[in-house]
Amino acid sequence: MTRYYTEDHEWIEVDGDSATVGITDYAQSQLGDIVFAEVPAVGATLKKGGDAAVVESVKAASDVYAPVSGTVTEGNAALEDDPALVNSDPEGEGWFFKLTLSDTDELGSLMDAEAYKAFVDGL
Amino acid sequence: MSDDEEFEPVETLELPLGAWHRAKGARIVEFAGYHMPIQYEGIMAEHLWTRENAGLFDVSHMGQLMLSGEDAAGSLEKLVPGDISALKEGRMRYSLLLAEDGGILDDMMITAAPMGLYVVVNGAVKWDDIGYLREHLPDEVTINHMDDRALLALQGPKAAEALARVVPGVDALFFMESGTFFWGPKTDPEPLWISRSGYTGEDGFEISVPAAHVMRLTEELCAQPEVKPIGLGARDSLRLEAGLPLYGHDMNPDIDPVEGNASFAISKRRREEGGFNGADRILKALKDGPQRKLVGFAVEGKMPVREGAAVFSGERQVGVITSGGFAPSVGSPIAMGYVEREHIATGTALEAEVRGKRVSLTVAAMPFIPHRYHRRGASK
């Protein structure tokens, strides 16, 4: 399994042609207290870079983008009752959705952990 | 001389406490032309701390004006609907700066101070306010923009005991009273202008202090165990729960005071006599009821309904949300906004549209969290 990152602070963990997506620890720290998360419906078709989910802090609503194109296989139901999971465990229990990749070549444009760390350090 | 010599600043300005906020780990945003702290440890924690203890807010971006000269109160009454002439020294009133058609240009606090009328206006529109006052007040009235002073607000149920330790005697004030209090060594005390007022619904104080001394006062206040610095984020969620409007969002120049749920700011004598901008429109709205009105909303579920969301009754849009978000002390989303007069009754079921989905709303009485002001004559 390999984890990739986007410049919009999503992470995606890939296992063959399926993957899990969430937002990074940096993203949750920037957003502050998360009070609501809306995950995509099973079967939804996502386009790389398109709107995939919504995360709301006390202050504002933010979009979560699809790191790659694919079809949603599961949304994280736990976020409905406990959106603060995105704060407490953003890169684990606070995942947003799982999807089946439609084009694994799209992963080539994403950052690995080291590149993402350098990217965040430069912000 | 023309009135156009002053221009709005285009560069984002630094507050006197700017470096202090950064040193405390604040996240800084641009607001009202200033770099301001939006949060320190987190909006939720800061909000709840203020409701239980005491929160210190730097509101030095707000405009502090002193109007003085012959009949300043009488002249100002042409521009505001409150009874300003009757204000006794040390008493204050919430009021509204009115355009010629009765639309709201700003909301403000007006205090009868020893030197004149002390007026605190919103930071985002203070330059416009000053220009408007210059244009519409007679030459006999002097407007002093006291931009050498900072403004702090200490808010919460433990504000009085914390502040009284730093500024003795201040706990003698009741809600909406103000006066001069001395702070610092007896040999060289600094006079502070302090009012018992605020923007959170809690008991609390607003403290006008020379900018040169605000750092030292802030350090002394934050050394009290009840006090933590609180950012703009929690200021917004606290005022929303308290049902207090934010100018530029819940009020604007298209809205008159009756529509804006601020009829209480139209004093009895002024209702009888008129003589203020837009009096015809405003007094008619008082008598007949407004065509639309600012109301509070309880929101079903967990999804916040925010500013700009359309409000529906069935298929028809009947209003718009002007403020909304998650309310930490309520534990759910709340909102306020304008709806047409048929829908303003408490309990009315409506819907808001968020990202193409309908969310159930119920018109709710405000405040959402009871005010806990230290009123004169009220039982403890």
Side-chain angles (χ1 to χ4, degrees):
Chain A
M1 289 201 289
T2 316
R3 193 170 285 220
Y4 300 91
Y5 299 84
T6 72
E7 292 190 357
D8 296 313
H9 308 287
E10 291 93 16
W11 57 264
I12 176 168
E13 180 144 317
V14 182
D15 186 5
D17 68 348
S18 58
T20 306
V21 175
I23 66 170
T24 65
D25 185 56
Y26 175 83
Q28 72 78 23
S29 75
Q30 290 294 305
L31 290 168
D33 301 309
I34 304 298
V35 297
F36 180 78
E38 186 176 288
V39 298
V42 172
T45 312
L46 304 180
K47 209 167 162 279
K48 178 178 161 67
D51 293 348
V54 176
V55 58
E56 301 211 27
S57 67
V58 179
K59 200 69 195 138
S62 308
D63 290 316
V64 177
Y65 303 109
V68 294
S69 305
T71 304
V72 176
T73 56
E74 187 182 354
N76 187 356
L79 297 185
E80 195 176 326
D81 285 333
D82 190 7
L85 278 175
V86 180
N87 291 123
S88 58
D89 193 9
E91 305 198 20
E93 293 297 305
W95 60 277
F96 275 69
F97 58 91
K98 296 178 195 272
L99 79 170
T100 306
L101 278 63
S102 56
D103 178 5
T104 50
D105 287 350
E106 287 178 350
L107 295 167
S109 64
L110 302 178
M111 289 179 275
D112 63 13
E114 198 182 343
Y116 178 69
K117 185 179 181 304
F119 173 71
V120 167
D121 288 346
L123 292 177
Chain B
M1 259 190 51
S2 97
D3 283 324
D4 301 322
E5 286 174 8
E6 284 205 15
F7 295 92
E8 288 192 31
V10 287
E11 265 181 70
T12 306
L13 301 172
E14 194 70 6
L15 296 172
L17 280 177
W20 187 88
H21 295 310
R22 287 183 175 85
K24 290 287 169 188
R27 183 166 302 158
I28 303 293
V29 296
E30 193 270 331
F31 180 79
Y34 291 85
H35 293 296
M36 296 198 64
I38 187 154
Q39 66 169 67
Y40 302 84
E41 59 178 308
I43 294 175
M44 201 92 82
E46 292 168 33
H47 177 114
L48 297 173
W49 179 269
T50 305
R51 288 258 182 263
E52 289 164 20
N53 298 284
L56 184 69
F57 302 78
D58 180 10
V59 289
S60 302
H61 64 300
M62 300 186 82
Q64 299 182 68
L65 314 179
M66 188 66 77
L67 309 186
S68 56
E70 196 183 322
D71 198 26
S75 299
L76 185 60
E77 283 190 353
K78 294 194 172 57
L79 310 179
V80 305
D83 192 343
I84 308 305
S85 306
L87 272 182
K88 295 187 176 71
E89 191 174 304
R91 297 302 176 92
M92 58 201 290
R93 188 180 277 290
Y94 173 82
S95 202
L96 303 156
L97 186 65
L98 299 175
E100 279 165 60
D101 67 356
I104 303 172
L105 297 175
D106 198 3
D107 62 347
M108 49 181 45
M109 283 289 191
I110 302 173
T111 307
M115 301 294 289
L117 293 173
Y118 170 66
V119 181
V120 178
V121 303
N122 280 296
V125 288
K126 66 182 176 184
W127 304 105
D128 295 330
D129 289 357
I130 292 167
Y132 187 78
L133 290 169
R134 282 206 178 129
E135 188 182 340
H136 291 273
L137 290 175
D139 293 343
E140 294 75 44
V141 178
T142 302
I143 303 167
N144 180 13
H145 179 204
M146 300 186 289
D147 54 2
D148 56 345
R149 296 186 77 85
L151 191 65
L152 300 177
L154 188 67
Q155 301 281 300
K158 296 181 182 170
E161 60 183 285
L163 184 59
R165 230 176 279 131
V166 177
V167 185
V170 76
D171 45 342
L173 290 173
F174 285 93
F175 181 57
M176 298 295 270
E177 295 179 0
S178 50
T180 299
F181 293 85
F182 291 91
W183 159 63
K186 281 203 169 59
T187 48
D188 183 26
E190 185 66 36
L192 304 174
W193 182 255
I194 299 181
S195 64
R196 199 154 191 168
S197 55
Y199 193 47
T200 60
E202 298 296 327
D203 183 22
F205 300 84
E206 291 171 298
I207 307 157
S208 176
V209 53
H213 301 304
V214 67
M215 185 88 81
R216 185 160 56 94
L217 180 60
T218 299
E219 292 282 6
E220 278 189 40
L221 290 172
C222 284
Q224 307 306 312
E226 301 90 346
V227 179
K228 282 187 182 181
I230 309 295
L232 282 182
R235 182 170 161 83
D236 191 49
S237 55
L238 288 158
R239 69 90 193 166
L240 181 59
E241 286 183 345
L244 302 171
L246 174 60
Y247 189 77
H249 300 260
D250 309 305
M251 290 177 166
N252 64 55
D254 290 333
I255 301 294
D256 71 44
V258 183
E259 294 171 324
N261 194 31
S263 298
F264 68 92
I266 310 166
S267 302
K268 182 164 176 287
R269 176 176 65 80
R270 310 302 312 281
R271 293 178 188 215
E272 290 160 1
E273 295 176 4
F276 51 90
N277 279 350
D280 288 353
R281 165 188 177 180
I282 292 167
L283 295 176
K284 183 174 187 302
L286 264 181
K287 182 165 151 279
D288 300 340
Q291 291 302 311
R292 58 184 168 174
K293 194 178 175 207
L294 182 65
V295 296
F297 297 107
V299 179
E300 192 174 288
K302 291 195 165 180
M303 184 162 73
V305 175
R306 300 186 190 273
E307 180 175 5
V311 176
F312 289 87
S313 174
E315 287 309 301
R316 204 169 76 82
Q317 186 179 350
V318 298
V320 65
I321 299 296
T322 53
S323 283
F326 183 80
S329 300
V330 177
S332 72
I334 57 172
M336 55 173 90
Y338 283 87
V339 288
E340 294 171 4
R341 62 186 293 165
E342 294 79 14
H343 307 284
I344 62 176
T346 298
T348 304
L350 296 168
E351 288 179 316
E353 192 170 290
V354 180
R355 295 185 290 270
K357 294 196 192 95
R358 290 294 182 93
V359 183
S360 294
L361 302 176
T362 308
V363 176
M366 294 196 285
F368 297 93
I369 293 286
H371 292 160
R372 297 198 287 180
Y373 301 138
H374 183 64
R375 294 180 191 277
R376 181 177 284 278
S379 58
K380 278 260 179 181

